[in-house]
Amino acid sequence: MLDDIILGQYVPGDSFLHRLDPRTKMILSALLAVLVFVVHTWTGYALYFAFTAALAAVGRIPPRYLARGMRPMVFFGVITFLFQLVFVREGRAVLDLWILTVTDRGVVEGFFMCFRLLLVVLVVLLFTLTTSAVELAEAVDRLLRPLRRVGVNSYDVGLVLSGAIRFVPTLLEQADKVKKAQMARGVVFEQGNLIERGRKVTAILVPLLLNVVRRADELGMAMEARCYQGGVGRTSRMQLRTGARDWVAAAVSVAWGVMLVWAGL
Amino acid sequence: MTAAVPEPRPLSRQVPAEGIRLRGVFHTYGRGTPHEVTALRGVDLDIAPGQFVAVVGHNGSGKSTVAKHLNVLLQPTEGDVWVDGLNTRDPAARMAIRRRVGMVFQNPDNQIVGITVEHDVAFGLENLGLPVEVIEQRIDEALRLLGIEHLRHEPPHRLSAGQKQRLAIAGVVAMRPRYMVLDEATALLDPAGRAEVLDCIVRLNREEGLGVVWITHFMEEAVHADQVVVMEGGQVVMAGTPRQVFQQAEEIRRLRLDVPLVTRIAAGLRERGLPVPADAVFLEEVVQSVCRSASGD
């Protein structure tokens, strides 16, 4: 299961998508994510999916890898679908089961909500798979820089993001160690009902949390020792450059979005 | 070098323009709380530029607390610490001191910030606000000095523990400090990783003139030092060259520390009547003197 989480797992490459300015990618991804909630027809979703598939091809992301990344989301997709089935009351009833009434509108809405969820995740995946954590941090820093005037340290926000990504493997390793240590002391994680299992998880979470706090403390000290002062007077090694490529990407995406909306799809 | 006899306090008014000087340093954690612990009780210490100083002592002797005073991670509760004439109490001098004194901690995982090796080395350099060209040059240099150029684009979690610790050192070396404090930097490493890291540091000290403060509880690692400082109960109890210190085997054992194996062997051989120098710390010198006496007979 954990191996399936590919969010934040950058796939190195030098495709058109990889070489885009991360700021452009971030803004366009956000726009695309909004657009998914505007689309409301089958054709619209088909076109939207075709566009993201084209993006994946341009970014040279293997479809199978993407599919694997989407796998953990299927569960949420199904839940969303069922929710719509139960709670949408408009439309013609197609199924009457005791207190449950499923309407035709409910079925359609169920599919649409499910598509929306999956497509948003797909867009986010395409962004993170083609953007390294360093670029991501830099983009966040630059995009949030105007907020410095109201006291937001944009550099810190970027650093927290890239730091989180940096520590994911370290913490997974740590969680595994704690789990094995608890197993060695007789905890059987695969046994018991849901409540018992939940209680056993705390045997992992508590030591893990303590460890994270200690780590954070030491990391903070090591950063201070390396003259960290919260981005003040700091140079950035990464130079972000917006070029013709970015304008092309923006023009294509915006034109395509406007078309979808204008055609009422 | 003479065994350090602590100078009387009034002399400490004289601050050397170079080197690190601690005078009458006390440090109490959690002062005014029920958990108050006094970790340092009047530490006097001098470290000359380019010197390799090993600070040894068992857990709780105060050696890590001393380390944290050297680059202003901690302030003395009483007494003073000067680095190249700058007092650590002066807030304006804090950054200047941190640029001079680099610090490497025990757990490499908790000091690596960067997503890849090169980004981590860049972190400190970016904090210093250096121009990009200089940063690139310094990254190349530091990776080369620590022998990890080939790992340049690797994420830190793919490195071995020894490589991670060398990366942590590269991140500090790139900032070109005058002194480097390594707080039990080899404690979590296997013997191969330990040798790897110690070799790098000895080389940086000999070839680049980097001042080193090596904090450890492995006495074997202290034999490379110019000066060994033994701590106990928050005080410096012994100081001198490795030969001077390890000769006092009784005293060291009383402090619940180990004399290096070579020194112990040398003492054993002497007891059996072989002409081995009492202050031997390197295996070669013991072997040579034994051979000489054997061929002499």
Side-chain angles (χ1 to χ4, degrees):
Chain A
M1 177 71 180
L2 283 178
D3 292 337
D4 281 342
I5 297 174
I6 61 167
L7 202 68
Q9 303 258 35
Y10 173 60
V11 177
D14 62 344
S15 73
F16 182 84
L17 281 196
H18 284 86
R19 282 189 285 172
L20 278 180
D21 186 318
R23 289 171 294 185
T24 316
K25 266 188 279 187
M26 190 172 255
I27 294 170
L28 293 180
S29 307
L31 286 178
L32 276 178
V34 172
L35 187 65
V36 92
F37 289 95
V38 178
V39 175
H40 57 276
T41 63
W42 291 95
T43 332
Y45 284 112
L47 283 176
Y48 194 101
F49 178 73
F51 188 73
T52 47
L55 282 181
V58 171
R60 299 210 196 98
I61 304 289
R64 202 178 291 169
Y65 190 63
L66 262 183
R68 203 175 70 150
M70 294 302 292
R71 208 155 48 184
M73 291 313 297
V74 171
F75 171 73
F76 294 102
V78 171
I79 297 270
T80 316
F81 179 75
L82 292 177
F83 247 77
Q84 300 300 320
L85 279 196
V86 175
F87 290 109
V88 174
R89 294 263 168 229
E90 296 89 12
R92 193 167 48 83
V94 288
L95 192 66
D96 236 334
L97 277 176
W98 186 42
I99 54 163
L100 284 180
T101 313
V102 175
T103 66
D104 54 352
R105 273 288 299 279
V107 174
V108 173
E109 279 301 313
F111 274 114
F112 284 1
M113 267 329 256
C114 179
F115 288 161
R116 280 176 194 150
L117 180 74
L118 295 179
L119 287 171
V120 164
V121 173
L122 196 61
V123 168
V124 174
L125 270 182
L126 282 175
F127 171 66
T128 57
L129 291 177
T130 59
T131 312
S132 74
V134 182
E135 287 177 307
L136 178 68
E138 194 65 28
V140 168
D141 178 11
R142 300 290 175 93
L143 288 175
L144 293 185
R145 211 161 272 184
L147 290 183
R148 278 195 182 173
R149 264 180 238 148
V150 291
V152 175
N153 187 336
S154 57
Y155 172 73
D156 277 350
V157 179
L159 187 72
V160 164
L161 261 176
S162 71
I165 294 170
R166 139 85 182 91
F167 276 96
V168 165
T170 312
L171 294 182
L172 284 180
E173 201 179 296
Q174 188 68 43
D176 190 53
K177 248 186 224 169
V178 173
K179 187 178 171 190
K180 286 190 177 132
Q182 301 295 36
M183 279 159 72
R185 298 201 281 171
V187 181
V188 182
F189 287 100
E190 291 80 15
Q191 244 173 40
N193 61 34
L194 215 59
I195 295 170
E196 280 167 6
R197 283 188 190 207
R199 207 175 289 152
K200 283 172 186 169
V201 170
T202 54
I204 298 179
L205 288 184
V206 172
L208 193 62
L209 188 69
L210 283 175
N211 182 278
V212 168
V213 171
R214 192 169 320 127
R215 251 181 220 290
D217 187 42
E218 278 185 33
L219 184 69
M221 206 152 60
M223 283 167 58
E224 246 189 275
R226 281 211 265 168
C227 297
Y228 174 70
Q229 304 178 77
V232 184
R234 196 174 195 277
T235 36
S236 176
R237 194 169 154 246
M238 170 153 293
Q239 305 291 310
L240 296 184
R241 241 176 251 115
T242 315
R245 200 181 288 121
D246 296 279
W247 293 111
V248 171
V252 170
S253 312
V254 170
W256 182 78
V258 168
M259 186 205 81
L260 273 188
V261 174
W262 182 67
L265 297 168
Chain B
M1 195 195 312
T2 54
V5 178
E7 290 171 56
R9 291 286 310 273
L11 279 181
S12 72
R13 292 294 130 222
Q14 286 182 340
V15 181
E18 292 210 313
I20 299 176
R21 166 164 289 190
L22 283 79
R23 280 297 175 269
V25 174
F26 281 77
H27 191 87
T28 307
Y29 289 106
R31 197 150 61 144
T33 70
H35 311 290
E36 200 174 276
V37 178
T38 301
L40 299 183
R41 301 164 188 277
V43 172
D44 295 327
L45 191 62
D46 280 287
I47 297 160
Q51 207 182 25
F52 193 128
V53 178
V55 180
V56 296
H58 57 77
N59 292 342
S61 60
K63 51 192 196 311
S64 278
T65 308
V66 165
K68 289 186 186 113
H69 276 80
L70 304 183
N71 80 341
V72 215
L73 290 174
L74 288 179
Q75 296 273 4
T77 315
E78 215 179 288
D80 288 288
V81 179
W82 292 274
V83 173
D84 290 347
L86 303 165
N87 193 317
T88 59
R89 290 181 186 282
D90 178 7
R94 190 168 63 186
M95 277 303 139
I97 293 173
R98 287 197 178 145
R99 289 180 83 139
R100 276 160 209 265
V101 185
M103 185 101 184
V104 176
F105 298 88
Q106 191 177 56
N107 189 343
D109 263 329
N110 296 354
Q111 42 189 326
I112 296 170
V113 196
I115 285 164
T116 66
V117 166
E118 62 167 353
H119 286 112
D120 188 66
V121 177
F123 177 74
L125 301 171
E126 290 175 314
N127 286 341
L128 293 181
L130 296 172
V132 180
E133 315 82 62
V134 178
I135 291 181
E136 296 307 321
Q137 197 187 318
R138 296 259 193 111
I139 293 174
D140 292 342
E141 184 189 81
L143 292 179
R144 190 165 35 73
L145 277 172
L146 276 299
I148 49 174
E149 305 107 305
H150 59 293
L151 303 169
R152 194 177 184 120
H153 302 290
E154 291 291 323
H157 64 94
R158 293 250 200 91
L159 272 50
S160 74
Q163 288 169 336
K164 277 186 205 168
Q165 198 57 292
R166 279 194 282 161
L167 167 57
I169 295 170
V172 177
V173 163
M175 296 169 79
R176 294 207 182 144
R178 255 187 124 181
Y179 313 90
M180 180 119 128
V181 183
L182 297 104
D183 188 0
E184 304 220 29
T186 57
L188 295 179
L189 307 181
D190 59 10
R194 232 153 58 202
E196 207 174 276
V197 168
L198 186 60
D199 285 349
C200 283
I201 290 298
V202 170
R203 197 159 36 78
L204 287 168
N205 173 252
R206 305 268 151 85
E207 289 168 19
E208 312 288 322
L210 181 71
V212 173
V213 180
W214 182 268
I215 292 168
T216 184
H217 58 251
F218 295 109
M219 296 300 258
E220 316 281 342
E221 293 178 350
V223 299
H224 301 275
D226 299 315
Q227 194 193 165
V228 177
V229 173
V230 182
M231 291 196 63
E232 163 73 22
Q235 284 175 319
V236 174
V237 289
M238 289 168 86
T241 64
R243 291 178 195 282
Q244 289 167 339
V245 170
F246 295 139
Q247 230 176 322
Q248 296 162 270
E250 279 310 306
E251 178 66 9
I252 288 176
R253 263 191 289 269
R254 199 185 58 75
L255 295 169
R256 288 174 291 143
L257 290 166
D258 282 329
V259 175
L261 184 62
V262 174
T263 312
R264 261 183 291 161
I265 292 173
L269 292 172
R270 269 176 72 80
E271 273 173 32
R272 282 164 183 75
L274 282 165
V276 178
D279 62 354
V281 290
F282 294 109
L283 186 60
E284 294 75 33
E285 48 184 344
V286 176
V287 173
Q288 270 167 18
S289 53
V290 171
C291 290
R292 226 177 291 128
S293 77
S295 62
D297 286 339

